[in-house]
Amino acid sequence: MNAKQYIAARAAKELKNGDIVNLGIGIPTLVADYIPSDVHVFLHSENGILGVGPSPDPEHIDPNLVNAGKLPVTVLEGSSFFDSASSFAMIRGGHVSVSILGVLQIDAMGRIANWAVPGKNVLGVGGAMDLLEGSKRIIVTTLHTSNQGVSKIVKELTYPITSERKVDVIITDLAVFTVKEDGLHLLELSPGVSLEEVQQKTDAPFRVAESFKNGKEVMAQWL
Amino acid sequence: MFGSVFYISQMLHPQKSKRGKGKKMSKLITCEEAVKKVTSGSRIMVGGFGLVGSPLSLIAALAQSEVKDLEIISNNLGEPGRGLGVLVRQKQVKKAIGSYFTSNPEVVKAFQDKELEVELLPQGTMSEAIRAGGAGLGGFYTPVSVGTKMAENKEERTLNGKKYVFQEPLKANFALIKAKKADRLGNLIYNQSARNFNPMMATAADVVIAEVDEMVEVGEISSEEIVTPHLYVDFIVVKGGN
């Protein structure tokens, strides 16, 4: 399992039976592969599908059936199709239980930037703001640092903010944080990761949660 | 009273009163005829999420025409040289309103070269603005984008302790939409995720032209199945020409 797959597998453990789940592009898309067999969720795609199934075999690709990343998908029994206005009414109206999103940056209060890069033309926003505003619970999945080793969890956002709404859980390859009124709380360390390493690679201040688990305890949970 | 009179006449002349059969009622035209209605400078809604659910035959006919300075309302602008991307490449588009244009690098380049004006909206705000346009509303307040760059220059209002921004409705001169099937009256059904923006766009333009894969007789699409009732649809073209 590589770092991204580990993050996706950890995020999948957050899902509960009956959840309506929207998966963003990137690591979030991988989450679908790790949902435990005893947990039944319904995948919502903002282009108008509830009940997305696995990717099709190449010979069963239907050009009229794609997800929000424009990749071919299938649908499961009990699925439905609807128009974009209805789809976003579901999102904005609080009918989606969990959205799992990728990010560019997360600040010390748990607010995120995930739609635009400073200095570049802003020519796309898609459904990022709608999902962040309306989903009941937001889980963000990201590598802890950029390819250059720069922390993605920062004191203050330098990228344009997506919403004033804070996310609920942050899952990286190194650690899991929950977001509370007073900011970020470190909930667990990934197996083989030390608190010092997370402190060194996290630009934003954080507290250690009361229910904190170290890598060994987390490993034991996984087995 | 009128209702009952009509009902009786239908009983007496069941064949004659089957609406949609008379030539005067026909909405079926060719792509070329459809495109002739569009004038330079028109504001046009075009359905589709990427190329899925996009009226590609109508777009191809527009690309063959001389029209220019178009203002396009569509979630994306196709791909390089495909779908609406052809109109961008041929410099027929003056302005685009949508949610996600970065998937077509030629749109980014046209914007940088100041050949194309772009107005971005969050996808849910855009789809609701089209719905509002078609539903006769003067706009709406949405919490989406509050406190972000996208809310700059928009009226903000606090309602019951929550912040919202005002969004005006979107309307257009034309809507070019894609459906799976039309009956001869213009009732439409769609194909899976190819539905996307098409049903709202069908409600929000002065002239609505639906490109369909197949045209069937009235009654072949059941009343329960119909997604877009015929009153919204002015003209129908069958995909690939006729």
Side-chain angles (χ1 to χ4, degrees):
Chain A
M1 206 186 273
N2 66 30
K4 288 182 179 179
Q5 289 167 327
Y6 175 81
I7 296 167
R10 177 60 189 81
K13 286 182 178 290
E14 296 287 316
L15 302 178
K16 296 185 192 71
N17 243 345
D19 275 350
I20 308 296
V21 181
N22 188 294
L23 301 178
I25 295 163
I27 298 173
T29 309
L30 303 176
V31 173
D33 297 335
Y34 296 98
I35 299 169
S37 56
D38 58 338
V39 175
H40 296 283
V41 301
F42 302 95
L43 297 182
H44 175 274
S45 188
E46 63 255 37
N47 57 325
I49 313 171
L50 178 61
V52 178
S55 318
D57 306 323
E59 64 269 27
H60 291 110
I61 287 175
D62 183 332
N64 288 305
L65 191 49
V66 299
N67 64 16
K70 298 179 180 126
L71 296 171
V73 291
T74 56
V75 286
L76 303 173
E77 270 189 351
S79 62
S80 50
F81 300 114
F82 31 84
D83 64 57
S84 303
S86 305
S87 185
F88 281 94
M90 291 173 192
I91 293 167
R92 219 174 25 239
H95 308 284
V96 171
S97 329
V98 188
S99 284
I100 304 182
L101 305 173
V103 288
L104 296 166
Q105 281 183 332
I106 307 152
D107 77 6
M109 297 307 294
R111 296 175 303 186
I112 67 165
N114 75 342
W115 70 285
V117 176
K120 287 200 178 173
N121 297 312
V122 178
L123 293 175
V125 60
M129 292 184 177
D130 307 86
L131 285 165
L132 200 50
E133 173 60 42
S135 307
K136 277 191 202 149
R137 193 157 180 255
I138 303 278
I139 299 169
V140 298
T141 54
T142 177
L143 293 171
H144 205 93
T145 59
S146 70
N147 291 339
Q148 290 76 38
V150 178
S151 177
K152 295 212 181 183
I153 308 176
V154 296
K155 290 190 190 79
E156 279 178 30
L157 301 176
T158 52
Y159 287 43
I161 195 168
T162 308
S163 170
E164 288 178 348
R165 188 252 170 98
K166 300 169 182 176
V167 305
D168 298 281
V169 183
I170 301 161
I171 300 174
T172 78
D173 45 334
L174 304 185
V176 177
F177 298 86
T178 53
V179 177
K180 298 201 169 159
E181 276 296 298
D182 59 353
L184 311 182
H185 289 234
L186 176 68
L187 196 64
E188 60 182 59
L189 295 171
S190 301
V193 175
S194 68
L195 180 58
E196 292 68 36
E197 184 182 357
V198 172
Q199 279 167 332
Q200 188 220 324
K201 291 181 174 171
T202 309
D203 180 39
F206 61 85
R207 293 160 200 269
V208 176
E210 281 175 22
S211 56
F212 169 76
K213 291 186 183 71
N214 64 31
K216 210 179 252 178
E217 290 165 319
V218 170
M219 188 67 136
Q221 271 186 327
W222 279 69
L223 295 170
Chain B
M1 271 316 276
F2 177 77
S4 60
V5 169
F6 177 74
Y7 180 67
I8 290 163
S9 90
Q10 200 173 26
M11 302 265 283
L12 292 173
H13 311 284
Q15 291 307 314
K16 280 184 183 171
S17 59
K18 248 192 184 176
R19 288 195 282 176
K21 286 245 171 181
K23 276 185 180 167
K24 276 182 191 169
M25 297 286 295
S26 180
K27 294 178 176 178
L28 185 66
I29 57 173
T30 65
C31 273
E32 290 64 35
E33 287 166 342
V35 161
K36 273 188 195 143
K37 299 176 188 299
V38 178
T39 49
S40 288
S42 294
R43 184 183 238 217
I44 312 177
M45 290 180 178
V46 183
F49 186 83
L51 299 175
V52 180
S54 196
L56 297 177
S57 300
L58 283 169
I59 294 169
L62 262 187
Q64 296 286 317
S65 78
E66 300 291 315
V67 294
K68 56 181 173 43
D69 296 327
L70 300 175
E71 191 171 318
I72 302 285
I73 300 174
S74 191
N75 193 50
N76 324 92
L77 281 175
E79 293 173 11
R82 296 181 71 193
L84 288 170
V86 179
L87 302 188
V88 175
R89 188 176 278 181
Q90 297 182 170
K91 306 188 197 306
Q92 289 172 281
V93 185
K94 184 182 69 180
K95 182 177 177 181
I97 302 172
S99 93
Y100 202 80
F101 297 124
T102 24
S103 43
N104 184 348
E106 292 184 3
V107 172
V108 179
K109 182 158 190 313
F111 176 80
Q112 283 166 346
D113 296 346
K114 302 200 186 316
E115 286 170 357
L116 178 69
E117 224 181 299
V118 166
E119 189 178 326
L120 266 195
L121 289 169
Q123 200 174 143
T125 302
M126 178 192 165
S127 51
E128 190 66 15
I130 298 168
R131 201 192 73 77
L137 299 177
F140 56 93
Y141 288 93
T142 173
V144 174
S145 87
V146 166
T148 74
K149 275 186 178 217
M150 303 284 283
E152 284 170 6
N153 310 317
K154 286 192 178 170
E155 179 207 336
E156 189 178 294
R157 184 167 168 186
T158 302
L159 296 162
N160 294 319
K162 193 174 161 92
K163 287 183 201 164
Y164 296 82
V165 291
F166 181 71
Q167 175 62 44
E168 290 185 352
L170 284 172
K171 296 191 82 165
N173 306 116
F174 297 90
L176 307 184
I177 63 168
K178 175 75 205 316
K180 179 183 183 180
K181 215 184 261 190
D183 67 19
R184 291 192 180 277
L185 283 175
N187 291 307
L188 305 178
I189 59 167
Y190 299 89
N191 192 340
Q192 306 169 102
S193 62
R195 184 182 305 197
N196 54 65
F197 292 86
N198 289 299
M200 287 92 67
M201 289 179 171
T203 71
D206 301 332
V207 178
V208 175
I209 306 170
E211 174 180 333
V212 301
D213 294 335
E214 191 189 349
M215 175 92 134
V216 299
E217 293 304 328
V218 176
E220 286 186 42
I221 308 173
S222 84
S223 310
E224 290 282 10
E225 269 181 292
I226 290 165
V227 176
T228 295
H230 64 75
L231 62 85
Y232 291 120
V233 179
D234 298 297
F235 299 102
I236 303 163
V237 304
V238 176
K239 180 183 167 182
N242 44 47

